[in-house]
Amino acid sequence: MTEPRLATPVDAAEITRLRSENILSEPLDEAWLAACADQLALRLQDGGDARAYVIDAPGGGLSTCALGLVHAVLPAPKYPKGLAVRIHTVATDPAHRRRGHARAALAALLDHLERDGVTLYELYASAGSAPLYEGLGFAADPALMRMTRFPAHRSTS
């Protein structure tokens, strides 16, 4: 297995592709792929809030990615630097699965984030991926809740 490496802005399109094809319930169209890749490339730059580790595919492109988005929280004893991360994407192309790539990329990302002082880690796990995350120390939290809100359309009358 190729070792995970720190992603750069050049990897943004491939990370976006892996997310679209392997995680989202409906793959993104070309316009959304481009918009996501452009934003991620900016966020992967030095000083940006995105951190990712990737594994290169033998024929080009990426076989695996693990992407986290770092954000500030108020400091507390468990979060002394006030840094948290949402693990946004862990994806492996089907042709490269069952080889430990996701675990290796995510472990490298977690080690990097720990060195940066991140102490709070959050993610959403499918039933199929939960054992991977549990094996790396994540635990289910029944208190975690989620909501998506879209702006209400205002009447012009």
Side-chain angles (χ1 to χ4, degrees):
M1 174 180 71
T2 304
E3 289 296 311
R5 64 172 175 80
L6 184 63
T8 69
V10 173
D11 297 309
E14 274 292 288
I15 293 169
T16 301
R17 178 192 65 79
L18 285 169
R19 174 178 173 256
S20 176
E21 292 178 1
N22 298 287
I23 294 177
L24 300 179
S25 58
E26 291 184 27
L28 299 172
D29 65 24
E30 292 300 318
W32 276 109
L33 282 169
C36 289
D38 289 347
Q39 185 185 108
L40 182 55
L42 292 173
R43 296 171 82 172
L44 283 169
Q45 292 180 9
D46 289 340
D49 68 333
R51 308 287 183 281
Y53 275 78
V54 297
I55 295 178
D56 295 304
L62 299 177
S63 67
T64 303
C65 69
L67 167 68
L69 302 174
V70 178
H71 59 276
V73 296
L74 292 176
K78 290 186 178 182
Y79 329 117
K81 287 195 173 183
L83 292 176
V85 67
R86 176 171 181 239
I87 304 300
H88 187 66
T89 301
V90 178
T92 300
D93 264 341
H96 301 282
R97 290 185 182 159
R98 314 301 303 167
R99 300 180 191 177
H101 290 188
R103 178 177 298 280
L106 183 55
L109 175 62
L110 296 175
D111 289 347
H112 182 117
L113 292 165
E114 184 178 356
R115 288 189 305 273
D116 284 350
V118 174
T119 54
L120 177 60
Y121 301 80
E122 300 171 331
L123 59 77
Y124 295 100
S126 67
S129 64
L132 165 68
Y133 303 128
E134 290 166 349
L136 290 168
F138 287 87
D141 182 351
L144 186 61
M145 299 175 78
R146 183 177 177 183
M147 176 176 67
T148 301
R149 288 181 65 167
F150 294 100
H153 293 285
R154 292 187 178 190
S155 173
T156 58
S157 52

